[in-house]
Amino acid sequence: MLKFIVIFVCCFFSGCSSWWGAQDVNEQQLYHRINEAYDFEVTHCDSFAMARGKGRGEFALQEAKNQAMKYAEKLHGTHIVWLHIVQGEVAKVVAVIYKCKF
């Protein structure tokens, strides 16, 4: 009976840790209310702010982009155009935030 309990507890915690790990990856793929665009797609829009992001680890670039996009959403931007992307151990991004009326 003790073996059964130990095995159950080990399986439970390993399942939980892989579920929480999946949460982190899935969070990076969440729908954003802001659209990524190229500069020619926002010619009739108003640019009003800059956004920056920084990320580390396995999903460094996605983390950096998510930071910038969350900031743009907070400012009620509709589109974001990436100006500068640096990949490496620490990923960094710089973008322009636009508000489009269409």
Side-chain angles (χ1 to χ4, degrees):
M1 181 68 174
L2 183 58
K3 279 185 182 179
F4 175 73
I5 292 172
V6 170
I7 291 171
F8 176 76
V9 169
C10 289
C11 290
F12 177 77
F13 284 117
S14 66
C16 287
S17 66
S18 51
W19 185 80
W20 286 111
Q23 285 283 96
D24 294 339
V25 172
N26 289 338
E27 181 181 346
Q28 295 172 356
Q29 298 171 353
L30 289 178
Y31 171 78
H32 287 281
R33 291 179 299 245
I34 191 159
N35 300 301
E36 295 181 85
Y38 293 104
D39 55 352
F40 66 86
E41 296 176 302
V42 291
T43 55
H44 300 293
C45 305
D46 297 325
S47 64
F48 68 95
M50 300 285 287
R52 298 176 188 271
K54 186 189 295 188
R56 296 180 184 271
E58 186 179 353
F59 302 103
L61 181 58
Q62 192 60 46
E63 181 182 335
K65 284 185 170 186
N66 282 344
Q67 281 181 8
M69 291 175 83
K70 284 180 183 179
Y71 179 69
E73 289 173 352
K74 187 176 179 181
L75 296 178
H76 303 290
T78 59
H79 292 74
I80 191 165
V81 176
W82 305 111
L83 292 180
H84 192 65
I85 297 174
V86 176
Q87 293 187 24
E89 193 173 312
V90 176
K92 297 177 184 177
V93 296
V94 178
V96 178
I97 305 169
Y98 290 85
K99 186 170 282 195
C100 301
K101 295 183 171 52
F102 53 87

